[in-house]
């Protein structure tokens, strides 16, 4: 009985030992088992963008799985995909354990990447017009957009828009070209045909040279558009952008045709007034004065040649074109002037009264969009000749004095006053014309510069002698533009206003002295 018990225990021990050995062998043969190593971690828990994706045997395996997941996400689209991928591997040491299947980890990563896509970058084309930029889906869209814009003026559809390489750029950019279908055909023939050589070339040259010049008649002109181009530089480049940034043709078209206010500088011409300039450009007087702070109000003095800032409506994409036009009109000849050196410029006399003529005309008229920008008569037939006005006029400058600056106002008058600053005289020997530093100062009358430089109290000052004991002085200048002994004409720029010397603010001090005695300039200014 005892021997049986001993034998039975041996059998149990051998069974247990065999089971343990078999289990150990099975564990070591399992592909997902990670044996204990003497150093490092036995397995890694992987997270992507903060979400768990499984357990792998090494960090290298996690990186390899991420690359495969990226390929899987990208394979579903022909576009470039922008996606963030924050991969994290946390190492662990375990006696034994299992890792996740490779395909499960890759699929989990792909799901997270697909969910966290920042954007899909789509192939498109960026259109740049000056500072304006917009992305459209294709070159055909851009060509359609530009064709729609040009067609607003080319109502007979004579002109075509093509996209051609931009020779001004080293990189692969395109630009737009407008030409007739015939011009495009000729251009294509030039690039495809063989060059003319030998006797054929000489004969062609002789025929061209021998062709007689014929003056066209009215019926020989083809009326309508003769040339067309875009008024701003156009650049087109291939891009990759999120689909949300790609615009439709209609949206971009509405933007490039919309007028925006652009500042321009115009030169004052004879007869102009501030109120007339404001009206010409559709501005209120307050807006015009706000852009030209040198003028106090609409009655401020302006002179021919002054520069005035205005705003004008201008589309993002203007179209410049010329048209041959026929019309009949009443016309006037330019006034003919006869100079009389013995008269002052204030005296004129009409020698011949004008009369209006009538003519028929073929003219080349230039436009920017719907606004005429110029005209050149190509042919005319006078039906009734116009008679010009003939005016005799004086050339001598009269002994009068003009306002010495553009704009400005009297901030301190002539005569007795309370001294505005220590060292200043209580008797003002001129007038102060308030104006910003740098305003042009003109000679009030023609004469010779007798002093030009620094003088105590005046700061930078210019004296001009006009003959017959008359002298004008211009003080507190920021810059002198003439030198002693130089002859200046009435209205000629001699300096820039400033705030030098004994001055309380930017202005031009102006004096008139007769035989050395200061007089009130306001009694002499014209």
């Amino acid at each position: 009985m005892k021997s049986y018990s001993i034998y039975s225990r041996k059998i149990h021990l051998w069974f247990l030992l065999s089971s343990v050995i078999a289990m150990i062998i099975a564990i070591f043969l399992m592909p997902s088992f990670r044996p204990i190593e003497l150093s490092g971690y036995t397995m890694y828990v992987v997270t992507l963008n903060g979400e768990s994706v499984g357990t792998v045997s090494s960090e290298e395996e996690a990186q390899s799985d991420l690359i495969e997941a990226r390929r899987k996400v990208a394979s579903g689209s022909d576009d470039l995909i922008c996606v963030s991928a924050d991969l994290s591997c946390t190492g662990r040491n375990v006696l034994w354990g299992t890792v996740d299947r490779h395909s499960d980890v890759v699929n989990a990563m792909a799901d997270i990447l697909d969910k966290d896509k920042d954007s899909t970058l789509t192939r498109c084309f960026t259109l740049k017009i000056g500072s304006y930029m917009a992305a459209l889906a294709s070159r055909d869209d851009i060509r359609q957009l530009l064709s729609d814009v040009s067609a607003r003026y080319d109502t007979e559809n004579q002109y075509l828009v093509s996209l051609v390489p931009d020779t001004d750029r080293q990189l692969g950019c395109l630009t737009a070209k407008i030409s007739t279908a015939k011009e495009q055909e000729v251009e294509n023939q030039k690039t495809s045909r063989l060059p003319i050589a030998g006797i054929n070339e000489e004969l062609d040259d002789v025929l061209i040279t021998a062709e007689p010049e014929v003056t066209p008649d009215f019926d020989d002109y083809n009326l309508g558009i003769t040339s067309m181009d875009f008024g701003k530089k156009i650049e087109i480049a291939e891009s990759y952008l999120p689909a949300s940034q790609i615009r439709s043709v209609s949206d971009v078209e509405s933007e490039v045709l919309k007028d925006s206010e652009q500042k321009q500088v115009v030169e004052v011409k004879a007869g102009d007034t501030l109120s007339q300039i404001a009206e010409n450009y559709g501005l209120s007087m307050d807006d015009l004065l706000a852009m030209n702070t040198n003028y106090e109000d609409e009655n401020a003095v302006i002179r021919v040649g002054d520069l005035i800032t205005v705003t004008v409506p201008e589309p993002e994409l203007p179209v410049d074109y010329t048209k041959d036009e026929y019309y009949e009109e009443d016309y006037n000849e330019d006034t003919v002037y006869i100079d009389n050196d013995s008269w002052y410029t204030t005296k004129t006399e009409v020698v011949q009264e004008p009369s209006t003529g009538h003519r028929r005309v073929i003219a080349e008229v230039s436009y920017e969009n719907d606004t005429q920008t110029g005209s050149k008569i190509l042919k005319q037939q006078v039906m009734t000749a116009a008679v010009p006005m003939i005016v005799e006029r004086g050339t001598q400058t009269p002994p009068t004095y003009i306002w010495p600056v553009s704009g400005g106002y009297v901030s301190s008058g002539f005569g007795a006053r309370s001294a505005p600053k220590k060292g200043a005289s209580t008797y003002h020997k001129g007038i102060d014309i308030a104006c910003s530093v740098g305003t042009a100062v003109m000679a009030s009358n023609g004469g010779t510069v007798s002093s030009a430089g620094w003088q105590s109290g005046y700061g930078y000052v210019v004296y001009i002698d006009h003959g017959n004991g008359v002298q004008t002085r211009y003080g507190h200048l920021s810059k002198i533009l003439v030198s002693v002994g130089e002859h200046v004409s009435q209205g000629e720029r001699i300096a820039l206003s400033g705030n030098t010397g004994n001055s309380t603010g930017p202005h031009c001090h102006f004096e008139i002295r007769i035989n050395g005695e200061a007089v009130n300039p306001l009694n002499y200014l014209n």
Side-chain angles (χ1 to χ4, degrees), residues 7 90 246 314 336 475:
Y7 178 75
T90 304
I246 299 175
E314 182 178 307
V336 176

Side-chain angles (χ1 to χ4, degrees), residues 214-236:
V214 178
T215 302
D217 200 355
F218 279 87
D219 295 334
D220 296 328
Y221 288 91
N222 294 318
L223 303 181
I225 296 177
T226 57
S227 68
M228 176 177 278
D229 199 0
F230 293 113
K232 286 185 179 180
K233 173 73 173 178
I234 293 176
E235 297 174 276
I236 303 156

Side-chain angles (χ1 to χ4, degrees), residues 48-49 62-77 79-87 102 105-114 116-119:
L48 180 62
N49 294 346
Q63 291 289 349
S64 177
D65 290 347
L66 178 60
I67 292 173
E68 188 170 339
R70 280 184 176 276
R71 288 177 182 154
K72 185 174 181 180
V73 173
S75 65
S77 172
D79 301 318
L80 296 180
I81 295 175
C82 179
V83 59
S84 59
D86 182 13
L87 184 69
H102 168 70
V105 175
V106 170
N107 289 337
M109 287 182 171
D111 289 341
I112 293 172
L113 292 177
D114 191 62
D116 293 347
K117 282 189 297 188
D118 292 336
S119 58

Side-chain angles (χ1 to χ4, degrees), residues 173-379:
C173 287
L174 300 174
T175 189
K177 179 182 179 181
I178 304 179
S179 54
T180 64
K182 184 176 181 180
E183 288 171 338
Q184 288 194 7
E185 182 182 350
V186 170
E187 188 66 29
N188 293 335
Q189 289 176 352
K190 284 182 180 179
T191 57
S192 61
R193 70 186 182 187
L194 294 174
I196 299 173
I199 187 64
N200 290 331
E201 182 178 12
E202 291 183 11
L203 287 174
D204 278 357
D205 291 341
V206 168
L207 291 173
I208 293 172
T209 305
E211 187 175 326
E213 291 187 8
V214 178
T215 302
D217 200 355
F218 279 87
D219 295 334
D220 296 328
Y221 288 91
N222 294 318
L223 303 181
I225 296 177
T226 57
S227 68
M228 176 177 278
D229 199 0
F230 293 113
K232 286 185 179 180
K233 173 73 173 178
I234 293 176
E235 297 174 276
I236 303 156
E238 184 178 350
S239 309
Y240 283 86
L241 294 172
S244 60
Q245 296 183 23
I246 299 175
R247 313 283 301 283
S248 69
V249 172
S250 58
D251 283 349
V252 177
E253 185 174 326
S254 65
E255 289 182 353
V256 299
L257 293 176
K258 183 174 65 177
D259 287 343
S260 59
E261 296 295 326
Q262 304 289 334
K263 284 191 175 181
Q264 287 189 6
V265 175
V266 297
E267 184 175 335
V268 174
K269 296 181 174 56
D272 281 348
T273 63
L274 287 176
S275 58
Q276 185 62 50
I277 291 173
E279 182 180 343
N280 290 345
Y281 290 92
L283 300 170
S284 69
M285 182 54 62
D286 288 342
D287 288 341
L288 184 65
L289 294 174
M291 286 183 284
N292 299 272
T293 56
N294 199 47
Y295 303 105
E296 183 182 17
D297 56 38
E298 63 181 299
N299 298 316
V301 175
I302 60 173
R303 294 193 176 87
V304 173
D306 284 353
L307 301 179
I308 306 291
T309 300
V310 298
T311 58
V312 294
E314 182 178 307
E316 294 288 357
L317 181 55
V319 178
D320 297 335
Y321 57 98
T322 58
K323 296 175 70 175
D324 283 357
E325 298 182 355
Y326 170 84
Y327 55 88
E328 294 189 23
E329 65 172 1
D330 293 332
Y331 76 101
N332 295 299
E333 291 286 2
D334 293 336
T335 300
V336 176
Y337 292 99
I338 301 173
D339 291 338
N340 188 326
D341 296 336
S342 63
W343 291 0
Y344 288 127
T345 55
T346 53
K347 182 178 179 180
T348 61
E349 185 176 298
V350 176
V351 176
Q352 176 177 284
E353 293 290 345
S355 65
T356 300
H358 187 78
R359 63 186 175 187
R360 53 195 298 240
V361 174
I362 296 287
E364 182 183 76
V365 186
S366 303
Y367 292 90
E368 181 178 271
N369 296 342
D370 295 317
T371 304
Q372 182 175 325
T373 58
S375 181
K376 175 185 175 183
I377 293 179
L378 302 177
K379 185 177 182 63

Side-chain angles (χ1 to χ4, degrees), residues 428-476:
H428 201 205
K429 296 180 180 179
I431 59 173
D432 289 343
I433 304 173
C435 55
S436 57
V437 172
T439 300
V441 178
M442 281 78 72
S444 185
N445 202 343
T448 302
V449 178
S450 58
S451 180
W454 183 270
Q455 186 173 332
S456 177
Y458 282 109
Y460 287 110
V461 65
V462 172
Y463 293 0
I464 299 177
D465 290 336
H466 305 284
N468 298 320
V470 181
Q471 182 185 77
T472 54
R473 299 183 180 185
Y474 313 79
H476 307 302

